[in-house]
Amino acid sequence: MQEETTMVTGYCVKCKEKGVELSAPEIHQTAKGGFMAKGKHSVCGTTVCAMMSKDNADKAMEDGAKKAF
Ligand SMILES: [Zn+2]
């Protein structure tokens, strides 16, 4: 069986780095019905937000991201 982990990534404003991995991501829904992941950069601890599609939000939650809406 293939093991697939959906990594939640975003832009860290402190490190000015794209695609950083979020630790303990939480999935939020925006007022416009979009989805957003919120977590901490695993390296520096800064809160990182990332917009995501519903598909990716569902996948992330299946992989253990916390549903926060
Ligand atoms: Zn960072």
Side-chain angles (χ1 to χ4, degrees):
M1 208 177 121
Q2 196 189 354
E3 197 155 314
E4 205 175 297
T5 310
T6 309
M7 221 172 65
V8 181
T9 59
Y11 177 75
C12 178
V13 291
K14 190 176 177 188
C15 302
K16 295 188 168 61
E17 198 182 324
K18 274 188 221 166
V20 301
E21 189 176 352
L22 276 63
S23 64
E26 290 182 355
I27 309 301
H28 296 259
Q29 192 164 24
T30 68
K32 288 178 182 173
F35 291 88
M36 190 181 83
K38 203 171 177 183
K40 282 189 182 352
H41 184 195
S42 47
V43 173
C44 71
T46 297
T47 301
V48 176
C49 294
M51 300 301 295
M52 62 195 332
S53 67
K54 185 180 187 302
D55 281 356
N56 283 340
D58 284 343
K59 269 186 210 157
M61 286 186 284
E62 276 173 24
D63 282 344
K66 197 174 158 195
K67 183 176 174 176
F69 57 90

